[in-house]
Amino acid sequence: MRIEEALPFPYGFETGSTALVLIDMQRDFIEPGGFGESLGNDVSLLEAIVPATQAALKAWREAGGLVVHTREAHRPDLSDCPPAKRNRGNPALRIGDDGPMGRILVAGEPGNQIIEALAPVGGEIVIDKPGKGAFHATGLHALLKERGITHLLFGGVTTEVCVQTSMREANDRGYDCLLLEDCTESYFPAFKAATLDMVRAQGGIVGWTAPSTALLAALRRGL
Ligand code: C5J
């Protein structure tokens, strides 16, 4: 299959060796009352990508493609959260503190769950990651290699933090990566725009970008 509209040039992939990776579409970043809002961000910006992401997820599932969901999640004892991470941001509400949706960024808490519209279904991989990158301190690379995955389609939040970090990690591990432009968002629109530019600059130094409609069209064409 080929996404002709991809930038900087068409992106070829096979459904059987490609995974859709949705980064951190969890309540804490996307819903009002969560960690993202507590840091002073306008979460409605992130909510806006849910319909396009839902449509891409549905089409990808129907095509039989592998789906990976990640959550930024720490162990309840925070043994996987170094002070260098915990001490950032608003010191009144740090990782592990009680927030409106339970303990912030702690596995198992209500705010840590993936939003209902994109909830994982049986057979999909769910990765709890303590870092920004999906490959740091997780078994993701091994799980993808076991399944013969060579290409990754990325969506999720936030574009310039966990999505970009994961994509760069993936590229360094040999995956051909494409970022679905309307399935990713930042609290800072300029950061999103800059990230899309950075990914596809210099001949696609990190990978490709394309609108999700181009993926849907490729899947419909089936070649
Ligand atoms: C952030 C993320 N922004 N998932 N996490 O802290 O991008």
Side-chain angles (χ1 to χ4, degrees):
M1 287 200 211
R2 229 166 120 85
I3 300 183
E4 296 294 342
E5 300 89 333
L7 292 174
F9 50 85
Y11 176 82
F13 70 100
E14 299 298 330
T15 316
S17 55
T18 304
L20 173 65
V21 183
L22 296 179
I23 301 288
D24 300 355
M25 292 297 285
Q26 60 200 69
R27 298 183 64 203
D28 247 329
F29 292 117
I30 294 165
E31 292 187 7
F35 182 47
E37 192 176 68
S38 80
L39 293 174
N41 297 305
D42 174 5
V43 294
S44 67
L45 282 170
L46 269 50
E47 239 173 356
I49 65 164
V50 173
T53 309
Q54 212 175 8
L57 177 59
K58 180 170 181 286
W60 190 248
R61 282 173 174 159
E62 284 169 3
L66 179 67
V67 180
V68 177
H69 305 261
T70 71
R71 297 181 289 216
E72 190 167 342
H74 292 278
R75 295 189 198 120
D77 65 4
L78 302 186
S79 56
D80 56 359
C81 183
K85 181 173 186 187
R86 187 156 190 257
N87 293 336
R88 300 287 174 81
N90 178 356
L93 255 193
R94 296 187 300 174
I95 295 167
D97 289 347
D98 279 318
M101 291 201 264
R103 291 184 69 204
I104 287 172
L105 297 191
V106 169
E109 296 289 333
N112 208 236
Q113 305 311 311
I114 291 169
I115 59 168
E116 208 175 308
L118 302 173
V121 299
E124 295 180 349
I125 296 174
V126 181
I127 298 286
D128 281 345
K129 62 182 190 47
K132 294 173 178 66
F135 292 83
H136 166 68
T138 71
L140 180 57
H141 189 38
L143 289 170
L144 295 175
K145 280 210 303 194
E146 265 169 26
R147 289 163 174 77
I149 299 295
T150 55
H151 288 57
L152 300 176
L153 307 171
F154 278 93
V157 298
T158 59
T159 315
E160 79 283 7
V161 184
C162 290
V163 176
Q164 179 171 211
T165 304
S166 299
M167 212 172 156
R168 287 173 184 270
E169 285 182 333
N171 188 228
D172 280 347
R173 284 164 177 77
Y175 298 93
D176 277 324
C177 301
L178 179 138
L179 179 53
L180 295 167
E181 296 163 8
D182 50 337
C183 298
T184 184
E185 195 49 87
S186 169
Y187 299 122
F188 305 93
F191 290 175
K192 172 179 174 176
T195 303
L196 296 180
D197 282 345
M198 277 187 249
V199 162
R200 62 195 173 208
Q202 304 178 78
I205 194 152
V206 179
W208 287 256
T209 76
S212 63
T213 48
L215 170 66
L216 300 192
L219 292 174
R220 269 196 307 272
R221 282 197 306 273
L223 39 90

